[in-house]
Amino acid sequence: GLTGRAATVARCAADVAVTVVAATIADVPLLVGDARAADDERDRARSLFRADRLVTGDGDRLTVEGLTVAEFAGLDGSVAGDADRLADAGHDGPPEVPAGDGPAGLGLSTSGSEGWPKCVERPWPAVTANARAFAAALELAPGEVVACTTPPHHSYALCGGIVTTLVAGGTYVALDQRPGPRTVADAVDGHRVAVLLSVPLLYRWFSTAGLATRHRPRLCVSAGAPLPPEDRRRWAEAVGWRIGEHYGTSEHGMLTLDTESVAGSVGRPVAGVTLTVDPAPGPGDVLVSCAGPPTRVHHAGPLADRAGDAPQPAGHGPQPTGDVGRLDADGPLHLLGRRGGTLNVAGNKVPAAEVEDALRAFPAVRDCAVVGAPGPGSAQEVVAFVETARELDHRALYAFLHGRLAAYKVPARVVVVDRLPRNVNGKLLRSELLRGLAAGTWR
C-alpha cells in the first residue's frame, strides 16, 4: 500500500523493520518518526517531509492510510493542522507531492544544529551501502545476533542496528523497551548476542549493577555521546567485555568504528566515508564526504523552503559535522567536542570540553556539563553543572580548577544537580540547562 511519500510511527522495532524493507523495495520515501513524540512534533515532521501516507502498526498488523488534511510548517517552525487555518493560508487540500526532489530515501527527524526542526532524507542506495560498510567494520557474519538498547526511530538503532544486521544476514534483537541490566543479561545469554549496541549512560548503569552472563559478546559499541574515561575504566573492571566507540550523524549515517578499544578514539572511517579535519591534523572542524547520492534536508524555521522550492541537498563535497576533533597519523579520529562548545568570555575562547575534563578530574565530581550563560551586562560567563559522588567542597574545587585552568576558564558559577538532563541516547541536553538558568530553576 505504500505510494507517494510515507511516514510511520510504528511502535515496535519489527514493524519499523518491515516498513523500511518495504519502502526500500518499493523505492518510496519513508519518514520514521518517534511514536512517543507529541502530536505537534509528529505533525511538524510529517509536514517537513511532505508525507501524504501514514503507516501505523500495533505489533500485529500494519495499516497504510492517506493523510486527508494537509499539515504544514510555518517559517517559525509552528504547525497548522485544522481546515480553517489551512484555508486562510491558501491550502485547501492534501499537500502536493513534489516531483524531481531526487532519489527516494529514509527520512529522520532531528532538531538540527541551527536549533530549528529539520528532516534529513538519505537516499536508499546510500543507506544500504553505508549499512554494508558498517557491517563489514563490525565483521558481522551471517547468522550473528546484534542487540540494541535505543528506540528504532534513532539513526543508531535503525541504520546501525536494524538495516546493518539485515544486510549482513543476521538477527536483530530490540531491547529498547526495558534495557535494564537483567534484560540485557538475559538477552545476551538467550540469543547469544555477538554485538551489543548501547549508549554511555547505560554502560555506566550496567557497570554499577553488573552483567553476570554465561555468554560474552565479542564486541560492545558505545555511541550517541563520548564514553568518559572513568566509565570505560569501571566497565573494564566490572564487566570486562571488549568495548569500542562509534561516531555517526543522522545526515550521513555511520562514519567510524573503534574495534580496538582505544580510549578517546572513535576509530577509523568505514568504507565509503572520508573524514578530514580543518585545519589538519587538528584540533579543527571535522568534515565528512560520503560516497553515493547526497542527503536532502527539509528545513523549518528561517531556513524553510519557500513554496515550490525543492529541499536542499547536503552536497557531495566535504560537509561540516559540527564537531571538533583531531586525526591521528594512522587514521583514527578523536572527538574533542562540539563546534558550538567553544564559549567566548570577554574575547577569550573557552572550550567547554577542556573545562569539563578539569572538573571530572576532581574526586567529588561524578559528571558535569559546562554552558555559556548571560552574565553581567552583555557578557557571557562560564557556568558548570555537576553531579557529585559526595558533598562538594566548593572552595577546594575552585582551588583545584585554578591550578589547572587559566583564570578566565574557571566557571563563574558551579551548580550541583541530582542528575544532568539527557535524552534516551545519553546525549546531554544543554538547552534544558540554559532554560533552567533563564527560568531561575538553577541557583
Side-chain angles (χ1 to χ4, degrees):
L2 288 178
T3 58
R5 297 181 65 84
T8 180
V9 290
R11 295 179 181 274
C12 76
D15 284 349
V16 171
V18 169
T19 310
V20 167
V21 170
T24 309
I25 294 170
D27 197 25
V28 170
L30 176 70
L31 171 68
V32 178
D34 180 0
R36 295 173 295 184
D39 289 342
D40 281 356
E41 292 176 301
R42 288 200 294 266
D43 290 344
R44 181 182 294 116
R46 292 176 206 159
S47 171
L48 292 175
F49 196 70
R50 306 176 190 180
D52 66 343
R53 294 288 183 274
L54 178 63
V55 184
T56 56
D58 58 11
D60 293 322
R61 61 175 296 179
L62 288 164
T63 303
V64 183
E65 50 194 315
L67 294 174
T68 57
V69 177
E71 295 104 355
F72 66 93
L75 293 183
D76 62 351
S78 63
V79 174
D82 62 88
D84 292 340
R85 292 170 66 191
L86 290 171
D88 291 342
H91 295 264
D92 54 7
E96 181 180 347
V97 178
D101 275 358
L106 172 67
L108 297 169
S109 182
T110 172
S111 63
S113 58
E114 299 86 5
W116 293 94
K118 68 177 180 180
C119 285
V120 298
E121 184 179 347
R122 296 178 57 219
W124 290 120
V127 171
T128 52
N130 184 233
R132 289 190 181 96
F134 194 52
L138 290 170
E139 299 180 342
L140 279 182
E144 281 197 308
V145 178
V146 175
C148 183
T149 62
T150 57
H153 68 277
H154 284 272
S155 177
Y156 184 29
L158 179 52
C159 298
I162 294 174
V163 180
T164 292
T165 307
L166 293 179
V167 300
T171 296
Y172 179 82
V173 177
L175 303 174
D176 58 284
Q177 297 297 319
R178 293 184 299 275
R182 177 171 296 180
T183 301
V184 172
D186 289 347
V188 166
D189 277 338
H191 297 282
R192 298 189 65 81
V193 171
V195 176
L196 175 65
L197 307 178
S198 194
V199 297
L201 200 62
L202 291 183
Y203 283 121
R204 179 190 301 170
W205 182 16
F206 302 156
S207 297
T208 302
L211 286 175
T213 63
R214 299 181 302 277
H215 175 76
R216 292 167 64 97
R218 61 174 176 81
L219 178 65
C220 298
V221 179
S222 178
L227 183 63
E230 181 62 19
D231 288 350
R232 181 183 284 271
R233 183 189 64 77
R234 286 197 192 101
W235 174 264
E237 293 174 353
V239 182
W241 301 347
R242 184 166 63 119
I243 191 167
E245 294 194 64
H246 155 60
Y247 170 52
T249 67
S250 297
E251 291 86 347
H252 304 100
M254 290 74 73
L255 300 179
T256 72
L257 180 67
D258 164 43
T259 59
E260 301 167 1
S261 296
V262 178
S265 169
V266 292
R268 293 176 171 80
V270 302
V273 172
T274 301
L275 291 176
T276 55
V277 172
D278 183 25
D285 290 338
V286 178
L287 307 177
V288 58
S289 298
C290 296
T295 297
R296 304 188 69 77
V297 182
H298 306 261
H299 286 290
L303 300 176
D305 307 315
R306 297 301 187 265
D309 289 347
Q312 297 300 306
H316 282 288
Q319 301 293 308
T321 63
D323 292 300
V324 174
R326 62 175 175 83
L327 276 172
D328 285 351
D330 58 347
L333 174 69
H334 295 257
L335 293 179
L336 306 177
R338 291 289 294 173
R339 182 172 52 199
T342 299
L343 315 180
N344 189 329
V345 179
N348 298 300
K349 302 298 183 185
V350 179
E354 180 185 357
V355 181
E356 289 168 354
D357 285 346
L359 284 162
R360 288 193 185 97
F362 189 70
V365 174
R366 183 172 58 212
D367 201 0
C368 64
V370 168
V371 300
S378 59
Q380 188 177 47
E381 66 179 11
V382 180
V383 179
F385 293 82
V386 299
E387 292 179 12
T388 59
R390 55 181 181 273
E391 186 175 355
L392 183 67
D393 184 334
H394 283 72
R395 182 171 297 182
L397 173 62
Y398 276 110
F400 178 83
L401 294 177
H402 277 288
R404 289 175 172 245
L405 299 170
Y408 64 86
K409 296 180 180 179
V410 174
R413 284 188 281 166
V414 174
V415 181
V416 177
V417 296
D418 292 332
R419 185 75 61 185
L420 292 169
R422 296 182 182 275
N423 67 12
V424 293
N425 265 1
K427 284 187 177 180
L428 184 68
L429 300 176
R430 295 180 195 271
S431 59
E432 294 296 320
L433 297 174
L434 290 170
R435 286 194 191 98
L437 283 175
T441 303
W442 314 112
R443 300 294 183 184

